[in-house]
Amino acid sequence: MNHVIRALSLCFAVVWASAAPASIKNELIRIGEAVLTKIALDPADFLFDIHLNAEDRTPLPIDKDGQVGMNVFPALIPFTEVNLSGKAKLHREHAGWPQIDINFGGWNSIAGMVASGMVEDFKGGLYGYHGGISAAVSADPRLRLFGGYEFSQMRVDVTVNFKDSSTSTGTGFDLQNSLSHLNVGKTEHFLFAGAEVLRSARKRLVAEVGYGVVSNKLMARLTWSSKNFDSGFVFFPESAWVLWPVWNFQVRF
């Protein structure tokens, strides 16, 4: 009986191994099609997620007064967004008053600038900026709670000069005028809150959730912070691309 069970188990394993690659491939294709469909239906929302990945709302370390940094992945690599962000401490936590920080930053797309310079009839720009304020208070020597507000905006401005004037469809719809200029963007006001766990003198684990009041946009972020490099994940539960890995470089002083 045991031999029969082993033989049947072996046959099942062989059949499953041969079928699994095809099923996995089909599932990946299905997921890819769903993602591309969402991006095509709302490209501005997909670009806005990339824009949000470049933001850093974690509180400054207790012994630091400022920070200058940039998002290396995915903003700069591979999406060619040259970005710079900064933080400044307005008030150190003292006598029951919380630490107060401001953050600010912006970026511009190299791809848009290069295309504008190389393609005669194309002029385009993709850029964004953000700014906000946060408060952090110690709940324990190794734990801080923080929250705040941030304004965030992304803009896409593209102009194409058509040389062929025969773009009328004959139904009163002028294709030339409709496609000659594209102006889209996203503006959001975020409320956010989180917790910071001190792992060592220079390493922190930060968890954060944010809510965009304009479009009811939800996001969550988990960051492993060290002296000069931060890495983590950003989660957009309602977006085309749900989970983004992020990698930042910064100098704190």
Side-chain angles (χ1 to χ4, degrees):
M1 185 65 179
N2 290 336
H3 293 291
V4 174
I5 294 176
R6 290 175 183 174
L8 291 175
S9 300
L10 179 60
C11 291
F12 176 79
V14 172
V15 172
W16 182 86
S18 62
S23 63
I24 293 174
K25 179 180 179 181
N26 292 335
E27 181 65 15
L28 291 176
I29 292 174
R30 185 192 67 79
I31 294 174
E33 290 176 347
V35 169
L36 291 176
T37 300
K38 283 188 175 182
I39 294 174
L41 291 175
D42 194 354
D45 190 58
F46 175 74
L47 294 172
F48 190 59
D49 290 348
I50 302 171
H51 160 80
L52 292 176
N53 287 331
E55 299 178 0
D56 178 10
R57 298 189 285 258
T58 59
L60 280 166
I62 295 175
D63 60 340
K64 300 297 181 181
D65 295 319
Q67 173 181 309
V68 176
M70 64 183 300
N71 176 260
V72 179
F73 183 89
L76 182 61
I77 302 171
F79 291 105
T80 71
E81 295 178 359
V82 177
N83 62 95
L84 187 65
S85 62
K87 298 179 189 177
K89 184 179 295 181
L90 298 183
H91 183 271
R92 188 181 299 273
E93 183 179 359
H94 178 69
W97 289 91
Q99 173 179 311
I100 305 296
D101 297 341
I102 58 170
N103 70 81
F104 44 87
W107 57 269
N108 203 336
S109 172
I110 295 179
M113 293 187 291
V114 171
S116 297
M118 297 181 63
V119 181
E120 180 180 357
D121 298 316
F122 175 89
K123 297 296 180 184
L126 176 63
Y127 59 93
Y129 50 89
H130 67 273
I133 187 169
S134 65
V137 60
S138 297
D140 183 86
R142 297 179 63 87
L143 174 67
R144 286 199 299 174
L145 305 178
F146 66 94
Y149 160 81
E150 185 174 71
F151 171 80
S152 187
Q153 185 172 74
M154 179 208 70
R155 300 299 305 175
V156 179
D157 296 293
V158 176
T159 300
V160 181
N161 296 319
F162 292 97
K163 293 183 178 180
D164 186 2
S165 60
S166 59
T167 56
S168 176
T169 61
T171 61
F173 177 73
D174 193 337
L175 184 62
Q176 176 174 330
N177 290 333
S178 65
L179 296 181
S180 62
H181 187 69
L182 175 65
N183 184 292
V184 297
K186 289 279 187 178
T187 300
E188 191 56 90
H189 299 270
F190 275 101
L191 301 176
F192 61 91
E196 172 198 78
V197 178
L198 186 66
R199 297 155 57 210
S200 69
R202 289 286 177 252
K203 295 183 179 181
R204 302 172 294 157
L205 176 62
V206 185
E208 171 202 335
V209 293
Y211 173 71
V213 299
V214 175
S215 58
N216 298 320
K217 189 176 185 65
L218 295 173
M219 63 176 295
R221 191 190 310 261
L222 185 64
T223 305
W224 289 269
S225 179
S226 60
K227 181 179 179 180
N228 294 116
F229 291 96
D230 293 352
S231 59
F233 295 95
V234 183
F235 180 61
F236 301 103
E238 304 162 326
S239 299
W241 200 268
V242 176
L243 186 65
W244 288 89
V246 294
W247 188 40
N248 302 325
F249 169 77
Q250 66 277 320
V251 176
R252 301 182 178 104
F253 48 88

